[in-house]
Amino acid sequence: MNIFYNDEIPVDAWEEFLEQNSHATPFQSYEFYKLFNSVPGLSAQAIAVCEEHKILSLVVITFQKGPGLKSFFSRRSIIYGGPLIEDAYPDALDLLLKTILTITKNQSIYTETRNLSDYSKHKDIFMKIGFKYIPYLNFHLSTDNPEDLTTKMSNSRMRQIKKAQSSGVSWKEAGSVEEVKVFYNILSGLYKNKIHKPLLPLSFFINFFYSNIGKYLLVWYLNEIIGGIMCPILKERAIYEFYVCGLDDEYKAQYPSVIATWAAIEYASRNKIPVFDFMGAGKPDESYGVRDFKSRFGGELIEFGRFIKICDPFLYKIGESGLNLLSHIGK
């Protein structure tokens, strides 16, 4: 088996492997790799394990860090969705994971795969290499039958949608960078005041708008944007909730975050995308308000978990407490 890196990987073979792979997500596509490398301060590396001209496993690793004082303690490698692997080639996964850790160990405090499909058959390989498994929940909502969407939803959620719509709320695709900037301002306010976690820079969101990876669906009320959702899309497979936000405190009767999520569900149903992936619902042993919010849309609760390899335990421990403090004092 041979290893190919970045632009050494033939794009046509890459996209063909993505199209056929059961673990496929937009986050392992060539377009996402290009997107991440187009933003100053961010970078991504691609690795493919091949035998002759056939790809056996592939990964896009994103390298991220916070701004200012946070940068040193927030260096991380995130593999959104998890790697593309084949059940029939466990040796290719073994080699891929070893190569990932060789690349990331000196660049990141930790490396994490945020799984969006079932890797349980390969859990032993991950753990043998040094990854730790963390249980983590998610919701999948089937969107291929429009009649089922409202019957699966809770009565309270359906009432909120109807009330918002009757008040004049609507949604539509973003049509300009200016609209994306409004969405980002709402989102960054949410992250600063409530979520207290790192947020990718504005340039990432702008470049996403110009890419072919997905859509922004924005919530409108009285000719103003009051919320929205950023959705990567894998054609004929799934649509994903990457970022969602709404001015819920300012527009209580319009339920902008609810409508933003509903927009993605409606978009999927109208465009024959069979699954809406909520991209996370927290750890099962912890109460999580976001999980309660998402559950009312009627999706199936699943647990694909995450794998994490802590490359520098000392800095990881310092980073956990230090970043939490910095986030609350706004540095």
Side-chain angles (χ1 to χ4, degrees):
M1 290 183 287
N2 299 310
I3 300 174
F4 293 88
Y5 299 93
N6 303 321
D7 294 335
E8 296 176 348
I9 306 169
V11 176
D12 55 348
W14 183 339
E15 293 302 331
E16 183 180 354
F17 187 62
L18 177 78
E19 184 177 344
Q20 298 173 353
N21 196 269
S22 62
H23 297 286
T25 70
F27 307 104
Q28 297 299 316
S29 67
Y30 177 66
E31 287 294 325
F32 188 74
Y33 162 76
K34 285 199 306 179
L35 169 64
F36 228 83
N37 281 312
S38 71
V39 178
L42 300 180
S43 65
Q45 289 202 40
I47 307 167
V49 176
C50 304
E51 194 166 66
E52 295 181 352
H53 299 294
K54 180 179 181 181
I55 297 178
L56 305 182
S57 61
L58 184 144
V59 70
V60 174
I61 313 166
T62 68
F63 295 90
Q64 305 176 37
K65 59 184 178 181
L69 292 175
K70 299 178 184 179
S71 61
F72 184 73
F73 296 104
S74 61
R75 293 173 292 122
R76 59 203 183 275
S77 306
I78 304 298
I79 300 170
Y80 293 107
L84 303 182
I85 59 178
E86 294 282 5
D87 293 348
Y89 301 100
D91 290 346
L93 172 60
D94 183 271
L95 179 56
L96 181 72
L97 294 177
K98 288 176 179 176
T99 307
I100 290 170
L101 294 184
T102 298
I103 290 173
T104 61
K105 67 179 181 180
N106 294 323
Q107 298 188 55
S108 305
I109 295 171
Y110 68 92
T111 299
E112 182 179 72
T113 74
R114 297 183 177 177
N115 305 337
L116 295 175
S117 57
D118 188 359
Y119 288 86
S120 59
K121 290 181 181 178
H122 310 283
K123 187 175 179 180
D124 290 345
I125 298 176
F126 278 89
M127 297 185 73
K128 182 183 71 173
I129 301 299
F131 283 87
K132 178 183 177 182
Y133 179 77
I134 300 174
Y136 206 86
L137 301 172
N138 192 15
F139 285 101
H140 277 181
L141 177 65
S142 174
T143 53
D144 53 1
N145 188 341
E147 288 76 23
D148 286 347
L149 295 180
T150 55
T151 58
K152 293 177 181 178
M153 196 179 300
S154 73
N155 291 333
S156 61
R157 183 64 81 233
M158 197 65 246
R159 284 196 298 270
Q160 290 169 349
I161 292 172
K162 289 181 177 178
K163 182 178 178 181
Q165 290 173 336
S166 66
S167 74
V169 174
S170 62
W171 66 265
K172 61 181 179 180
E173 292 181 32
S176 68
V177 168
E178 286 69 29
E179 292 178 358
V180 172
K181 289 179 179 178
V182 175
F183 167 82
Y184 185 81
N185 286 338
I186 297 172
L187 183 67
S188 59
L190 175 67
Y191 268 68
K192 180 180 179 180
N193 298 320
K194 293 185 178 181
I195 297 180
H196 305 298
K197 289 183 179 179
L199 180 64
L200 294 171
L202 173 60
S203 53
F204 175 84
F205 290 80
I206 291 174
N207 291 1
F208 179 92
F209 175 75
Y210 288 116
S211 76
N212 296 316
I213 296 173
K215 301 286 186 181
Y216 287 101
L217 307 175
L218 303 181
V219 180
W220 289 80
Y221 178 64
L222 300 179
N223 295 318
E224 290 188 9
I225 297 169
I226 62 171
I229 187 167
M230 178 191 195
C231 294
I233 298 170
L234 191 61
K235 188 177 179 181
E236 298 178 355
R237 297 278 286 271
I239 184 171
Y240 298 81
E241 179 195 287
F242 200 19
Y243 288 101
V244 64
C245 61
L247 297 173
D248 296 316
D249 292 336
E250 295 86 342
Y251 296 92
K252 295 183 185 298
Q254 283 67 47
Y255 302 100
S257 292
V258 171
I259 298 301
T261 304
W262 175 243
I265 294 170
E266 268 201 322
Y267 181 92
S269 181
R270 292 175 185 176
N271 290 276
K272 302 186 186 306
I273 303 171
V275 174
F276 175 57
D277 189 317
F278 284 83
M279 284 194 69
K283 297 178 180 178
D285 58 346
E286 296 179 1
S287 59
Y288 190 45
V290 174
R291 184 189 311 140
D292 298 334
F293 174 87
K294 293 179 178 182
S295 69
R296 296 192 180 105
F297 288 94
E300 175 189 4
L301 185 65
I302 53 180
E303 194 239 292
F304 293 147
R306 295 177 171 183
F307 294 106
I308 185 169
K309 169 64 175 177
I310 299 174
C311 306
D312 192 323
F314 178 70
L315 287 180
Y316 183 80
K317 200 167 200 179
I318 292 177
E320 275 192 312
S321 55
L323 287 176
N324 185 57
L325 174 62
L326 285 173
S327 66
H328 282 85
I329 63 177
K331 299 296 184 184

